[in-house]
C-alpha cells in the first residue's frame, strides 16, 4: 500500500488530468455526480492521517523518554521506530509494540523492569486515548473532543479495527459534507420551498 501510494503521488498531476478528462466524455454525468464527493472525502481522510501522524510522533517521543528512564537507553531508537509505525494501527498496534518492549525489559533487568514497562505502555495508551486523540483529531477535524471519544468508542465496538481507523473521517465527511446542501442546492431548495408556500397561500385565499 505504501508503494501504491508513492506511485500515485509521483504521478498525481497526470493522474488528475486524466480523471478530469472524463468531464468531456459520455460519462460526464457520473463525473459531475461523484467528483466533488470523492475530493471532499479524500481531503477529510488526509486530515485524519495527518492527525494520526502527529499522534504517532508524540507516542514515539513519550516511549523513548520512558524507555530511557527505565535504563534501556541502548534500545531507544529500535523500540521508538516500532512504536511509531504501530501507532497507525489503533488498539492492535499497542499490543504489537508492547511485545518487544516487554521482552527487552525482561531480558535486561528482569520482571520488575518488565512490569514497569507494562505500566509505561498503559500510561501512554491512556494519554493517547483520552488526551491526544480527542485534542489532535478535534483540532484537525474541527470536532468537539467528547464527540471524537464517542465516535471512537462506537466505531471500535461496531467495526473493531476499521471503525477506529475510519470512524472519525467517515463521520466527519457524512455530517460535515455529505448530508449538507451545497450552495446551489440550498438556493434551489429555498426557492422551491418559497414556491410551495406561495401556492399554498394562493389556494387558501
Amino acid at each position: 500500500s505504501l508503494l501504491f501510494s508513492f506511485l500515485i503521488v509521483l504521478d498525481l498531476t497526470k493522474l488528475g488530468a486524466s480523471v478530469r478528462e472524463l468531464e468531456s466524455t459520455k460519462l460526464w454525468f457520473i463525473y459531475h455526480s461523484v467528483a466533488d464527493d470523492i475530493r471532499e472525502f479524500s481531503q477529510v481522510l488526509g486530515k485524519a492521517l495527518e492527525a494520526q501522524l502527529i499522534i504517532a510522533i508524540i507516542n514515539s517521543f513519550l516511549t523513548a523518554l520512558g524507555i530511557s528512564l527505565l535504563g534501556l537507553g541502548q534500545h531507544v531508537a529500535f523500540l521508538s521506530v516500532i512504536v511509531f509505525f504501530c501507532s497507525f494501527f489503533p488498539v492492535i498496534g499497542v499490543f504489537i509494540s508492547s511485545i518487544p518492549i516487554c521482552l527487552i525489559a525482561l531480558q535486561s533487568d528482569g520482571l520488575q523492569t518488565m512490569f514497569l514497562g507494562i505500566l509505561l505502555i498503559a500510561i501512554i495508551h491512556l494519554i493517547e486515548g483520552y488526551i491526544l486523540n480527542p485534542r489532535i483529531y478535534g483540532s484537525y477535524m474541527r470536532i468537539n473532543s467528547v464527540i471524537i471519544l464517542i465516535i471512537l468508542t462506537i466505531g471500535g465496538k461496531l467495526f473493531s479495527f476499521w471503525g477506529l481507523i475510519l470512524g472519525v473521517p467517515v463521520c466527519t465527511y457524512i455530517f460535515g459534507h455529505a448530508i449538507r446542501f451545497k450552495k446551489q442546492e440550498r438556493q434551489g431548495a429555498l426557492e422551491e420551498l418559497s414556491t410551495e408556500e406561495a401556492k399554498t397561500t394562493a389556494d387558501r385565499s
Side-chain angles (χ1 to χ4, degrees):
S1 62
L2 288 173
L3 178 61
F4 187 58
S5 301
F6 174 74
L7 292 175
I8 290 176
V9 173
L10 189 66
D11 204 29
L12 187 59
T13 304
K14 293 181 180 179
L15 181 62
S18 299
V19 173
R20 284 191 292 272
E21 288 179 359
L22 291 174
E23 193 173 9
S24 304
T25 67
K26 294 181 179 180
L27 299 176
W28 64 268
F29 60 94
I30 298 177
Y31 176 85
H32 281 285
S33 299
V34 302
D36 290 339
D37 294 330
I38 293 175
R39 183 178 67 252
E40 289 173 354
F41 180 72
S42 64
Q43 290 173 348
V44 171
L45 185 59
K47 289 181 180 179
L49 292 176
E50 286 180 18
Q52 193 62 45
L53 174 63
I54 293 177
I55 292 171
I57 292 172
I58 296 175
N59 276 349
S60 301
F61 173 77
L62 293 176
T63 302
L65 182 62
I67 290 171
S68 299
L69 293 175
L70 291 176
L72 304 175
Q74 66 272 25
H75 304 288
V76 166
F78 171 69
L79 295 176
S80 298
V81 169
I82 292 177
V83 169
F84 175 79
F85 285 106
C86 289
S87 295
F88 288 93
F89 304 96
V91 182
I92 193 173
V94 176
F95 294 101
I96 295 174
S97 62
S98 301
I99 293 173
I101 294 175
C102 293
L103 290 177
I104 291 175
L106 179 63
Q107 183 181 10
S108 300
D109 296 315
L111 285 173
Q112 183 178 357
T113 305
M114 187 188 75
F115 287 128
L116 289 175
I118 294 173
L119 179 62
L120 168 69
I121 294 165
I123 292 173
I124 294 175
H125 181 60
L126 290 174
I127 292 173
E128 177 189 356
Y130 293 97
I131 298 177
L132 296 182
N133 275 341
R135 295 290 182 181
I136 295 177
Y137 266 111
S139 175
Y140 269 78
M141 314 299 286
R142 296 182 181 179
I143 305 178
N144 186 276
S145 301
V146 177
I147 297 177
I148 295 286
L149 283 174
I150 293 172
I151 292 173
L152 290 174
T153 302
I154 296 175
K157 293 292 184 182
L158 295 179
F159 305 104
S160 61
F161 176 76
W162 290 109
L164 292 168
I165 291 181
L166 298 177
V168 174
V170 168
C171 289
T172 301
Y173 171 73
I174 290 174
F175 293 105
H177 300 276
I179 64 174
R180 294 183 181 273
F181 281 117
K182 295 181 173 63
K183 290 183 179 179
Q184 295 179 350
E185 293 175 347
R186 182 177 179 82
Q187 186 64 30
L190 290 174
E191 290 177 356
E192 184 178 349
L193 182 61
S194 299
T195 304
E196 290 179 357
E197 290 179 349
K199 288 182 179 179
T200 303
T201 305
D203 292 339
R204 289 178 180 176
S205 60

